[in-house]
Amino acid sequence: KQEVTQIPAALSVPEGENLVLNCSFTDSAIYNLQWFRQDPGKGLTSLLLIQSSQREQTSGRLNASLDKSSGRSTLYIAASQPGDSATYLCAADTDKLIFGTGTRLQVFP
Amino acid sequence: GAVVSQHPSWVICKSGTSVKIECRSLDFQATTMFWYRQFPKQSLMLMATSNEGSKATYEQGVEKDKFLINHASLTLSTLTVTSAHPEDSSFYICSASGLAEQETQYFGPGTRLLVL
C-alpha cells in the first residue's frame, strides 16, 4: 500500500529564502509524482508533474526532483515571496493519486 | 487550461437531509472524474472514481449507498451525500481527466459541507 509522507509539516521563513520541501513514498512503482499548491479553503493548483522516467521538472522559481529508487521527491522554491504562502501537497500516482499530508508554508515580509 | 467547476462552493444543511454537489469540466471532455474528501488539517483522500456512463468505483471504507455518484455525461458528475450527519462535514473536491493516458487530473475549487 502506497504511503506518502511530507516533511516538514510546517515552515515559516522570511522573504527571499530558498526552500526545500520533502516528499517520500513507499512504493516506487509510480507513473508520476505531482506537486500541488492549496490555498486555505480552496482547491488544488497543479505546480509540477514529474513522469517516472524523468528526474526533474522546472517552472519559474520552482524545481522538483524525483528519485524513484529511494522513494523521494523534493520541491525547491527559489527566492521565496509572501505570495508563496500556502500548503504544498505532493501526490504519487500509481493507479490513483495518493496524497501526502502537506507542508504548510508561511513566507513573511 | 482545463477548468473544473464545482457547485455549490459551500453548503450548510440539517442532519438527515441529502446534499448534491456538482462537478463540471468546462472546456474539455472528462472521461474520468474523481471525488476526494479532505478533513481539517488532513490530506485529500480519494473516495471514488467514476467513468462516464458506468458505475463508480468506491475506495475501501466509503459507503456506496451514502455517497451516490452519477457521471451521466462527459462534462458532469454529481456526488449526493444522503442522510447527511455531522461527521460528513468536510471539504469535498472533485477532479477530472480526459482521454490521454495518465493525463493530469484537473481539480475543482472544492465544496465545503457543514452538517448541523
Side-chain angles (χ1 to χ4, degrees):
Chain A
K1 177 186 174 185
Q2 180 73 274
E3 293 182 3
V4 180
T5 306
Q6 290 186 247
I7 55 172
L11 189 59
S12 183
V13 299
E15 181 176 8
E17 280 204 5
N18 299 323
L19 310 171
V20 176
L21 309 182
N22 297 292
C23 172
S24 61
F25 48 96
T26 55
D27 185 354
S28 62
I30 61 172
Y31 294 124
N32 59 63
L33 191 290
Q34 300 182 39
W35 284 92
F36 297 88
R37 169 186 173 137
Q38 185 177 30
D39 292 287
K42 304 292 185 182
L44 274 65
T45 301
S46 179
L47 297 174
L48 291 165
L49 183 154
I50 314 174
Q51 298 288 357
S52 62
S53 58
Q54 297 175 323
R55 285 202 170 263
E56 66 176 343
Q57 281 287 328
T58 298
S59 176
R61 294 183 294 108
L62 304 180
N63 175 277
S65 66
L66 175 63
D67 184 343
K68 263 185 56 175
S69 61
S70 66
R72 293 179 182 177
S73 176
T74 59
L75 178 66
Y76 178 81
I77 303 176
S80 59
Q81 303 172 357
D84 295 330
S85 300
T87 296
Y88 290 80
L89 298 167
C90 69
D93 190 353
T94 51
D95 58 350
K96 58 187 177 183
L97 286 179
I98 305 297
F99 283 85
T101 50
T103 294
R104 193 172 301 108
L105 172 65
Q106 182 180 12
V107 181
F108 54 90
Chain B
V3 178
V4 175
S5 70
Q6 279 185 245
H7 178 79
S9 56
W10 59 271
V11 57
I12 301 173
C13 69
K14 292 182 179 180
S15 184
T17 61
S18 293
V19 175
K20 180 184 284 188
I21 302 170
E22 292 185 349
C23 176
R24 293 181 184 272
S25 58
L26 298 184
D27 50 3
F28 69 103
Q29 293 185 328
T31 52
T32 307
M33 286 187 169
F34 306 84
W35 287 95
Y36 295 84
R37 180 167 52 183
Q38 185 179 33
F39 292 107
K41 297 189 178 181
Q42 295 186 27
S43 194
L44 279 74
M45 296 296 292
L46 181 65
M47 298 175 66
T49 302
S50 71
N51 292 297
E52 184 265 337
S54 61
K55 290 184 178 180
T57 301
Y58 290 80
E59 295 299 304
Q60 193 171 12
V62 178
E63 300 176 54
K64 301 179 184 181
D65 296 332
K66 181 168 185 64
F67 299 99
L68 302 179
I69 292 172
N70 183 281
H71 190 169
S73 78
L74 285 172
T75 59
L76 174 64
S77 176
T78 60
L79 168 68
T80 301
V81 183
T82 62
S83 187
H85 288 91
E87 58 265 30
D88 298 323
S89 299
S90 188
F91 192 52
Y92 292 86
I93 302 177
C94 74
S95 69
S97 63
L99 292 171
E101 187 177 359
Q102 300 170 21
E103 186 174 350
T104 301
Q105 293 179 30
Y106 299 96
F107 284 80
T111 296
R112 187 161 301 282
L113 170 63
L114 176 60
V115 184
L116 302 177

